Amino acid sequence: MESDQRRVISLLVDNQSGVLARVSSLFCRRGFNIDSLTVSATNDPAVSRITVTITSDEKALQQLVLQTERLEVTRQVFVLDSEKSLERELLLLKVESDVHNRTELREIACIYKAKIIDLSPDSMVFELIGRPDKLDAFLKMFEGYNILEQCRTGVTALERGGMHQHMQKPPQEVRSVQLPPPGERRA
């Protein structure tokens, strides 16, 4: 039996109000917990990209993709292969600091190539951009320190290389191969 794995799904959707609510509602109705979610504009003003990270097995993932493709606002849905994709996330981390631990904190930041973007007498704020596992490892280094605040953006990702097959299909072709609505049978 296949175990649950972290999956990154990229959706190209119509850029209009209410689309994010419809997509996230579908995920919720299907029982998926969204680990991270980012939405951004694309080079086409009529299209937005939604990047969702979930934990799922392959069978449930394929069912979710099919259900998401059925939404009329959906243009394309594809699961990103982590070996063929570039994934990035932004972390802002505020840690309590004083003259006694400031040098240690700077050394950790240096090792991970994090930026110190704010320094006050009682705290430091770090900025780190990288793969989610790099951010997780960075946070693990701060387990012995007092974390005052933290904020992560969620994963944003693109496949490596030129135009990929999923990007070459016009939206009409994608919609024509989708499953029929629930209750109808395909001939």
Side-chain angles (χ1 to χ4, degrees), residues 57-150:
D57 63 35
E58 188 64 30
K59 183 178 178 183
L61 174 69
Q62 292 308 320
Q63 184 64 31
L64 179 65
V65 168
L66 289 173
Q67 293 290 324
T68 307
E69 286 176 341
R70 288 185 190 177
L71 294 174
E72 66 183 41
V73 295
T74 302
R75 294 177 178 228
Q76 306 265 331
V77 179
F78 40 97
V79 179
L80 296 175
D81 180 347
S82 62
E83 294 178 13
K84 297 176 184 174
S85 301
L86 300 168
E87 298 177 9
R88 294 296 182 267
E89 191 172 359
L90 167 68
L91 167 72
L92 296 178
L93 180 70
K94 185 188 295 184
V95 180
E96 185 176 59
S97 70
D98 57 27
V99 294
H100 299 89
N101 67 1
R102 204 165 281 139
T103 302
E104 297 168 21
L105 296 173
R106 284 178 196 230
E107 287 176 11
I108 295 170
C110 183
I111 290 168
Y112 284 89
K113 296 184 172 93
K115 293 179 184 174
I116 299 170
I117 59 172
D118 186 62
L119 179 62
S120 65
D122 60 350
S123 69
M124 295 174 84
V125 178
F126 301 95
E127 173 188 82
L128 181 62
I129 299 170
R131 291 185 53 86
D133 54 346
K134 178 181 179 179
L135 275 60
D136 292 340
F138 182 70
L139 287 170
K140 191 160 183 60
M141 296 303 298
F142 287 92
E143 287 180 350
Y145 299 94
N146 186 19
I147 294 175
L148 301 173
E149 291 183 74
Q150 118 182 11

Side-chain angles (χ1 to χ4, degrees), residues 7 14 24 28 48 60 97 102 105 108 117 128 148 163 166 176 179-180 185:
R7 315 288 179 146
D14 294 340
S24 62
C28 180
S48 291
S97 70
R102 204 165 281 139
L105 296 173
I108 295 170
I117 59 172
L128 181 62
L148 301 173
M163 182 73 77
H166 63 265
S176 70
L179 293 176
R185 295 192 181 228

Side-chain angles (χ1 to χ4, degrees), residues 19-31:
V19 171
L20 179 58
R22 293 180 71 186
V23 171
S24 62
S25 173
L26 173 77
F27 278 58
C28 180
R29 285 193 315 268
R30 300 292 176 237

